[in-house]
Amino acid sequence: MSNIKPPLAIINSQTFANNVKLMRTKATRHAVYGVAIAVVAIVVATLGHAYLSYGKISLDSIYRAQQENAVLWVLDGLPFIFAFWGQYVSSVIAYEASAMITEQTEELRQQSAELERKVMHDSTHDPLTGLPNRSLLLDRIQQAIAMAQREHKQMALFMLDLDHFKDINDTLGHYQGDLLLKQVSLRLSNALRPSDTIARLGGDEFAIFTPALTDSKDVTVILDKISKVFAQPFVLKEDMPLNVKSSIGVAIFPEHGRDVDTLIQRADIAMYVAKNSHRDYLVYSSNIDQHSSQRLTIMSELSQAIANDDLQIYFQPKISCKTMEVCGAEVLVRWKHESMGLIPPDQFIPMAERTGLIGPLTNWVLQATCQRLKTWHGRGMDLKVSVNLAVQTLLDPEFPETLTGLLAAVDLPKDSLMLEITETSVMQDPELALKILFRLRDMGIAISIDDFGTGYSSLSYLGEMPVSEVKIDKSFVLEMLNQQKDAVIVKATIDLAHNLGLKVVAEGVETKVIAQKLGGLGCDILQGYLFSRPIPGPEFEIWYHRYQDNIAARKAAVAG
Ligand code: C2E
Ligand code: CA
Ligand code: CA
């Protein structure tokens, strides 16, 4: 009894009392059986003794047996002992069992609360660094603005971007890149106050939001703290100190913006101009808007470019590993700029995502794709193509209907389109993303998980998602012959995807050796420069026929 822990305070005492009562009733029943057995034993023993000693069973012989036999006296006491012991033990067992049940219930309750907290944390934090993500940052700024307006406070938003991070990633590999991002976030967290929000917005972009400035001189103090973060080299691989620099853009509330969007946009512009003019930092001012920076041009012109059809879609083939035939193509957008030439998507998609232009841009890409497909289908070139989908589009509840409308307008079968989404975009709002993905699946549209392996948290979701294909990120494929770790990831992804009944695409296949290695590992589809770079539709059509004819000729030669 000593090891019974008192029931936890949270437990409803009424429930506990009811449990004890119920258990005691059950235990008491067994005590009653004990008493009954003892009484039967006394009766049998007394009758036996009376008969054996006096040759008959009568009231007199029974009375005498009871008077003379000391063993029967002991037996007579048993019902009382059983009754008392039964009651006592039943109470103890009832209490013990109830305490156990209530404790386990409480443990389960705590576990589910913990799980809920974890899901909440995952959807608001960056899985790599554990820092708040964009949506939590926006939320905090919004709240702070609501308060600051009443209290006439100043606040600052710092946008920070590492210089040459892409080169670090490309030359040292993304493990070292990730390590650097973690070290940067750790140093920033140590340098700033707990009341400041440090967020990772994606890639090598961080934001620091300081909600309590005494005056604008505080900005200099904070910039000083941040510059100290980068003063010491970062040590990634042993004995390899790496000097990393950053560019920072600052926007101050309320001077440079009174709402979240303006603040972010202006801090972003300041950061970009700082980077382009090789300055460590720049505080926003209205005259940097006049700075002719490529980014600003891009920002202001993109919307016009979409309206003017200055974008162009390119196609890159997907090759079946088994037959080596073309089994599809990926659509990749480009911007044909009057003076800047062909602008690659990496230079305007992230910005389109930030400024809300991604919606019209995606619509444009989908429309152009549908028209091209229609032409090809008309000429007997039945190709399934994949279109990349940004997180905003994926999470737009109206997107499935928009897509249905687009496909119906050109009278294309729904399964001629496939959508590529990233793990990270699903993780921004897993519940909503899953709902929309199921709707798209029900419409007959296949989903592919792009850049697989670069996200961290949604592996567990993969089994639940209605996807049919996984694309291994090119960073692993490009390095799989040099980096053992990358080869392991490629193999593990293929096995995992196959176990889940998914097809595997390897992107970034640049050499024959890699293509063969991937074939040996059981990869289903290959995509990369080995076969073709992304090319415009008309060029792709020529390439396609030439390639397919070649394959057919080779097959005929083998057969004949
Ligand atoms: P992604 O979806 O991962 O596309 C694959 C990128 O890898 C493409 O770059 C492609 O040109 C490149 N690539 C293909 N094969 C190889 C290879 O063998 N070696 C190497 N080193 N690279 C290869 P691209 O066209 O510059 O596109 C970059 C990213 O821009 C895409 O990455 C995608 O995230 C985004 N993007 C492109 N078009 C769209 C679009 O229409 N909508 C959205 N939301 N995003 C798009
Ligand atoms: Ca893609
Ligand atoms: Ca990709």
Side-chain angles (χ1 to χ4, degrees):
M1 190 161 165
S2 58
N3 61 357
I4 302 173
K5 286 190 214 139
L8 298 157
I10 283 176
I11 297 166
N12 179 334
S13 61
Q14 188 57 44
T15 316
F16 182 74
N18 288 345
N19 278 349
V20 172
K21 208 161 138 191
L22 188 77
M23 296 300 291
R24 196 152 53 197
T25 316
K26 286 197 175 169
T28 304
R29 203 182 321 140
H30 289 278
V32 170
Y33 295 153
V35 172
I37 291 166
V39 170
V40 171
I42 294 167
V43 172
V44 172
T46 310
L47 293 179
H49 184 76
Y51 184 74
L52 290 175
S53 302
Y54 307 107
K56 60 176 180 177
I57 294 174
S58 64
L59 269 179
D60 180 50
S61 65
I62 290 171
Y63 178 71
R64 282 172 60 189
Q66 274 287 340
Q67 263 200 328
E68 289 164 10
N69 194 322
V71 177
L72 287 182
W73 299 347
V74 176
L75 267 183
D76 289 344
L78 274 185
F80 300 102
I81 294 169
F82 267 128
F84 173 76
W85 182 62
Q87 276 298 309
Y88 173 73
V89 171
S90 74
S91 297
V92 171
I93 291 176
Y95 185 85
E96 238 175 79
S98 302
M100 246 159 71
I101 293 169
T102 341
E103 231 173 88
Q104 282 166 0
T105 314
E106 179 57 21
E107 217 173 282
L108 280 175
R109 207 177 288 155
Q110 277 176 357
Q111 277 171 4
S112 82
E114 182 60 35
L115 215 64
E116 238 169 71
R117 263 198 300 275
K118 191 178 168 329
V119 170
M120 182 68 188
H121 183 273
D122 284 354
S123 65
T124 50
H125 288 76
D126 165 47
L128 176 68
T129 59
L131 291 178
N133 63 13
R134 179 185 293 272
S135 71
L136 184 56
L137 172 78
L138 295 188
D139 219 47
R140 294 212 177 141
I141 301 181
Q142 201 108 47
Q143 277 180 19
I145 286 180
M147 281 179 45
Q149 259 155 355
R150 265 179 273 135
E151 295 162 18
H152 304 290
K153 274 200 314 196
Q154 279 196 325
M155 305 184 293
L157 178 65
F158 301 74
M159 286 285 191
L160 184 152
D161 191 281
L162 305 185
D163 295 345
H164 310 296
F165 180 71
K166 197 174 172 304
D167 299 340
I168 296 172
N169 237 350
D170 287 350
T171 44
L172 299 181
H174 57 270
Y175 292 102
Q176 305 299 330
D178 285 356
L179 205 62
L180 174 64
L181 292 173
K182 282 190 202 166
Q183 288 190 16
V184 168
S185 38
L186 197 70
R187 285 198 196 173
L188 283 172
S189 306
N190 288 338
L192 295 154
R193 290 191 198 155
S195 57
D196 301 334
T197 295
I198 304 158
R200 178 167 171 236
L201 306 182
D204 57 344
E205 213 177 330
F206 294 85
I208 296 151
F209 175 62
T210 53
L213 295 187
T214 332
D215 60 55
S216 34
K217 274 193 220 116
D218 282 359
V219 168
T220 324
V221 176
I222 295 160
L223 282 168
D224 202 41
K225 284 186 190 173
I226 300 175
S227 86
K228 282 194 181 118
V229 161
F230 293 93
Q232 296 297 323
F234 291 83
V235 182
L236 303 179
K237 288 181 174 170
E238 263 172 62
D239 304 330
M240 208 189 75
L242 189 70
N243 282 309
V244 179
K245 276 177 51 104
S246 69
S247 308
I248 305 166
V250 192
I252 297 168
F253 170 94
E255 197 183 332
H256 303 139
R258 295 181 159 271
D259 60 86
V260 188
D261 289 343
T262 317
L263 270 180
I264 291 202
Q265 212 174 33
R266 300 212 153 150
D268 202 44
I269 290 176
M271 188 259 286
Y272 191 74
V273 176
K275 194 177 276 282
N276 262 13
S277 50
H278 306 288
R279 274 184 267 189
D280 290 346
Y281 72 89
L282 194 70
V283 179
Y284 178 86
S285 71
S286 53
N287 63 3
I288 66 167
D289 262 339
Q290 282 130 37
H291 261 251
S292 71
S293 86
Q294 200 184 20
R295 181 138 161 156
L296 293 176
T297 318
I298 289 177
M299 262 198 200
S300 56
E301 289 181 9
L302 182 57
S303 136
Q304 205 51 45
I306 300 171
N308 291 351
D309 281 346
D310 285 342
L311 302 183
Q312 210 180 347
I313 44 170
Y314 276 43
F315 294 83
Q316 188 178 33
K318 287 163 80 177
I319 309 291
S320 155
C321 244
K322 214 183 259 164
T323 63
M324 288 319 267
E325 287 179 50
V326 180
C327 60
E330 178 174 3
V331 179
L332 296 152
V333 72
R334 308 280 183 263
W335 178 1
K336 271 177 90 175
H337 193 276
E338 245 188 347
S339 54
M340 285 190 267
L342 207 61
I343 307 181
D346 287 340
Q347 284 186 28
F348 59 92
I349 296 276
M351 196 184 336
E353 288 179 356
R354 251 177 268 159
T355 52
L357 276 176
I358 193 71
L361 186 143
T362 309
N363 273 345
W364 188 95
V365 170
L366 283 167
Q367 258 168 16
T369 304
C370 286
Q371 272 160 16
R372 176 62 63 188
L373 275 186
K374 188 75 194 158
T375 315
W376 284 347
H377 280 221
R379 295 182 195 153
M381 187 174 147
D382 288 342
L383 208 67
K384 193 181 182 111
V385 301
S386 315
V387 172
N388 290 283
L389 216 60
V391 56
Q392 288 91 335
T393 320
L394 170 66
L395 297 180
D396 173 5
E398 282 165 20
F399 176 69
E401 276 65 49
T402 312
L403 193 58
T404 309
L406 270 172
L407 287 166
V410 283
D411 193 24
L412 270 177
K414 284 178 181 151
D415 66 0
S416 36
L417 261 196
M418 192 164 190
L419 298 173
E420 294 192 2
I421 57 167
T422 62
E423 291 171 87
T424 347
S425 69
V426 173
M427 284 317 289
Q428 287 217 357
D429 189 344
E431 222 172 289
L432 179 60
L434 273 185
K435 249 189 227 164
I436 295 175
L437 288 181
F438 273 108
R439 265 168 64 201
L440 290 167
R441 202 265 317 259
D442 292 344
M443 282 167 54
I445 290 175
I447 309 287
S448 174
I449 299 286
D450 205 357
D451 303 345
F452 192 81
T454 56
Y456 292 85
S457 45
S458 68
L459 259 177
S460 52
Y461 276 86
L462 195 60
E464 285 174 41
M465 286 197 281
V467 300
S468 53
E469 183 186 279
V470 164
K471 292 185 87 169
I472 309 176
D473 190 62
K474 58 177 175 289
S475 56
F476 303 106
V477 177
L478 286 168
E479 289 297 316
M480 65 181 278
L481 295 183
N482 310 326
Q483 296 278 342
Q484 177 65 15
K485 276 184 201 153
D486 290 335
V488 169
I489 289 181
V490 170
K491 185 179 179 329
T493 308
I494 294 174
D495 293 345
L496 169 79
H498 283 170
N499 281 337
L500 294 168
L502 310 176
K503 284 240 154 69
V504 184
V505 183
E507 58 172 32
V509 181
E510 293 188 352
T511 64
K512 255 191 189 156
V513 190
I514 289 191
Q516 274 157 1
K517 177 98 187 154
L518 286 162
L521 291 174
C523 182
D524 304 286
I525 297 165
L526 308 173
Q527 181 183 344
Y529 294 169
L530 172 64
F531 304 99
S532 168
R533 288 185 176 250
I535 43 179
E539 249 176 73
F540 181 85
E541 197 177 340
I542 300 167
W543 177 92
Y544 172 84
H545 289 302
R546 199 182 299 147
Y547 180 91
Q548 291 290 81
D549 289 349
N550 230 324
I551 292 283
R554 232 184 288 167
K555 275 191 185 154
V558 172

